[in-house]
Amino acid sequence: INRFLKNTTLNLNSRFYAGLIQEGAGIDYNGNDNNTVHVEIKFMHRPEIFAHEYSLTPNYWEQGTWNNTMSLGLQHRYQYIHGNGVMNFALRSSTIFSDSYFANFTFSAVNKNAIGKFDFNTRTYLCIGTGNTPPESKLYLAGASPEDLMNNRFTRASGFFPDAWTTIGNTTNHFQQGGGLNLRGNSGYTAVETTSDGQSYLIYNGNTGAAVNSELEFDKLIKFRPKLLRNTWHMDSYLFADAGSMAYTNLNNKTSWSSIRADAGFGFA
């Protein structure tokens, strides 16, 4: 809609896919090359009849209710010597006709740095939330929320990944999609925080948490450019490390932070 408002884009969508009804509208305003302001309103409804037919995580969706939200965000892009970064600030709250009432503030900063033949990437993430957030929109310890999974064509419905890979239980599992606190070592695990008084609290999801994620890519050290496939195939290889903490509400209705959890490993794609 540049003709009416310069550097402004209007987004409208209406979807019924993979058992989810979703309606939305948003406006993006690009103040300059480095800053974008975003306002969005979204309505989501998963009818009970479809709750377990499509979703990878059917037990983590409220069924037959409306999850309606309004969000306001600011994205700031910046560059520096040997690198660049993106910061995102967002306020989100339930809105009219929603069956759940919650709000949160999120901040993330992703930085990509070139160090010789290595690329060193970091992500700093903070979410502060309150209210009775529905499970599909909660903050997850290991990765993306069920709501975020709907944004990816391979994860919005079962079929590409075995259902047994995506369950959450007392051991880790095989499926992980980037998001949330992104503590990859806790994928599929109902992480438990045990306090000094012997009480146990599940912290695999919640309203509030903070994390730091890092990756050291070394693609440039691996010579993999077969002549006939160089325009089709690419190989990613990296070392990763994550650390973070999830907040929980104890029996005294007070908010406490869990002990810091961490993981590290080797990634290949």
Side-chain angles (χ1 to χ4, degrees), residues 123-140:
R123 172 182 181 260
T124 303
Y125 184 87
L126 170 67
C127 178
I128 300 173
T130 184
N132 62 328
T133 310
E136 66 267 20
S137 300
K138 282 190 173 183
L139 174 68
Y140 279 74

Side-chain angles (χ1 to χ4, degrees), residues 177-224:
Q177 168 75 356
L181 298 188
N182 211 55
L183 270 62
R184 285 163 270 201
N186 289 273
S187 298
Y189 178 53
T190 50
V192 177
E193 179 74 9
T194 302
T195 58
S196 58
D197 59 0
Q199 298 295 328
S200 296
Y201 303 91
L202 297 178
I203 58 167
Y204 67 94
N205 65 14
N207 286 333
T208 299
V212 176
N213 316 108
S214 60
E215 293 181 354
L216 181 65
E217 298 182 359
F218 49 91
D219 303 356
K220 298 173 185 176
L221 298 179
I222 301 175
K223 303 298 183 182
F224 180 74

Side-chain angles (χ1 to χ4, degrees), residues 253-264:
N253 205 33
K254 292 184 178 180
T255 300
S256 301
W257 286 86
S258 71
S259 55
I260 294 177
R261 293 172 177 262
D263 59 62

